[in-house]
Amino acid sequence: MRPTPRRPNADLSPITLRVADACRITGIGRSKFYELIKAGEIEVIKVGAITLVPMTSIDGLLQRGRPIAGDGAWPPLAEVMHPFLANAILTASLASTPEAVRRDLSSADERRRGKAEDGIVERMILALYDRDDQPDVVR
């Protein structure tokens, strides 16, 4: 058996993907992916009936979702936590929440409300762990 000659471009990565493959590698559902396309967050190229997604567009989307190194920014917990879990944690913590924070939770100011929600969720998550920073020990 003769060895197959190595093709010079065999290790090139694709520069575009079909929508189904783009959804699979990003973990984004098809409906959400099309919402992002409609919102202009993801660029597409139409070739007849085929919709191609440039890898640069996917890379750009992923980079926009990351905090800039050194700026100390964390994404809002609501973006990284399942909504049902976040809601359950918030509901369980309301009993011990100060009145001022409760007012912030019902505020019309979205930023103020989000900050209050994030603070409550963060305190609840931290309460699950021992004070000696051993995350594998749950109370």
Side-chain angles (χ1 to χ4, degrees):
M1 191 170 194
R2 294 185 356 208
T4 357
R6 181 172 165 86
R7 296 181 301 173
N9 296 333
D11 56 348
L12 287 178
S13 298
I15 58 172
T16 61
L17 296 170
R18 291 183 181 225
V19 172
D21 294 326
C23 290
R24 184 178 47 78
I25 67 166
T26 60
I28 299 172
R30 182 180 163 95
S31 297
K32 181 64 175 178
F33 202 85
Y34 277 108
E35 286 177 21
L36 292 170
I37 291 170
K38 186 176 181 180
E41 294 287 323
I42 297 175
E43 174 191 351
V44 294
I45 301 167
K46 292 292 283 181
V47 180
I50 299 170
T51 302
L52 298 174
V53 182
M55 288 298 296
T56 55
S57 183
I58 293 173
D59 290 339
L61 175 73
L62 298 176
Q63 290 302 319
R64 285 191 301 274
R66 292 185 184 163
I68 299 170
D71 73 354
W74 287 82
L77 286 174
E79 291 180 14
V80 295
M81 184 181 290
H82 192 282
F84 293 124
L85 178 59
N87 191 32
I89 291 171
L90 286 171
T91 302
S93 68
L94 283 177
S96 63
T97 302
E99 185 59 36
V101 177
R102 286 187 203 177
R103 279 193 303 271
D104 287 347
L105 287 172
S106 60
S107 171
D109 181 6
E110 190 174 322
R111 198 176 96 228
R112 200 168 150 192
R113 190 173 60 244
K115 187 176 178 182
E117 289 172 357
D118 286 351
I120 290 172
V121 172
E122 187 173 356
R123 280 195 308 273
M124 291 297 294
I125 290 171
L126 290 175
L128 295 174
Y129 298 100
D130 281 340
R131 300 279 182 222
D132 58 0
D133 295 321
Q134 293 181 359
D136 56 331
V137 179
V138 179
R139 291 183 193 212

